[in-house]
Amino acid sequence: ILIESKMEDFESDKKFDLVFSSCALEHIKNDALVISKCDYFLKPGGSQIHVLPSFWSLFLYLWHGYRQYSPKHIKSLFYQQHYTVYRLGGFFSFFLHLFFITIPVIFFRTNKLIDLSWYPKLIEICNRFDKVLPILSYFYVVVVKKDV
């Protein structure tokens, strides 16, 4: 069963194997309450997966949502749970996004550069090089496993 819902309003007597949010928690004023609700609706052995913007996403997406997340903030949100944090992006993909999406959209009101046929190849190349220089990660993926 797939249910798409605002977690703040969600009610159910069921428990779930997976709770997933992608770039949503930064738009919720009380993200700690939502995290606790996610845990409540999770079956033992189930997982939560949350994609969160890092501090560096501020330079790519500007003031999008209420906040960006730091490792310290993530630790405070998930301190009672078993979680793992993965970084997405890095130096090369950060600057690719900045020069091919953020700057053209903000200053020139165009997103035509991402429509170029060779843009996907640039993403692939940047992702490979990001492993060498993994700074400026603009997203975190937090995976939480509920105890059995």
Side-chain angles (χ1 to χ4, degrees):
I1 296 174
L2 174 66
I3 299 171
E4 185 178 339
S5 174
K6 290 176 65 174
M7 186 54 87
E8 306 98 291
D9 304 330
F10 184 71
E11 295 298 329
S12 176
D13 57 349
K14 296 181 180 182
K15 300 286 183 171
F16 300 90
D17 295 315
L18 176 68
V19 175
F20 176 77
S21 74
S22 180
C23 300
L25 286 177
E26 70 270 20
H27 297 280
I28 298 169
K29 284 186 181 180
N30 191 344
D31 56 350
L33 174 67
V34 168
I35 294 298
S36 68
K37 281 188 81 171
C38 290
D39 185 57
Y40 173 79
F41 287 113
L42 209 58
K43 287 181 183 176
S47 298
Q48 296 180 52
I49 301 173
H50 302 282
V51 180
L52 308 171
S54 76
F55 166 78
W56 296 106
S57 71
L58 178 63
F59 300 100
L60 299 179
Y61 302 103
L62 302 177
W63 288 269
H64 180 82
Y66 290 105
R67 72 191 68 79
Q68 290 77 38
Y69 291 83
S70 66
K72 183 178 178 180
H73 189 183
I74 291 169
K75 185 176 183 179
S76 71
L77 277 176
F78 298 99
Y79 73 96
Q80 293 181 327
Q81 301 166 332
H82 294 96
Y83 70 94
T84 306
V85 178
Y86 301 93
R87 295 171 173 259
L88 292 183
F91 182 85
F92 296 96
S93 58
F94 176 89
F95 281 103
L96 178 70
H97 190 291
L98 182 67
F99 290 115
F100 275 70
I101 298 174
T102 305
I103 290 173
V105 168
I106 290 172
F107 293 106
F108 305 111
R109 303 285 185 224
T110 183
N111 60 357
K112 293 186 189 283
L113 290 177
I114 61 174
D115 293 333
L116 297 173
S117 62
W118 42 273
Y119 182 73
K121 188 66 175 170
L122 280 176
I123 293 173
E124 185 180 323
I125 292 167
C126 287
N127 284 334
R128 286 188 191 145
F129 283 120
D130 283 344
K131 293 173 186 171
V132 177
L133 202 53
I135 61 172
L136 305 177
S137 298
Y138 40 92
F139 286 113
Y140 295 114
V141 177
V142 180
V143 179
V144 182
K145 191 76 169 168
K146 186 163 186 163
D147 291 334
V148 179

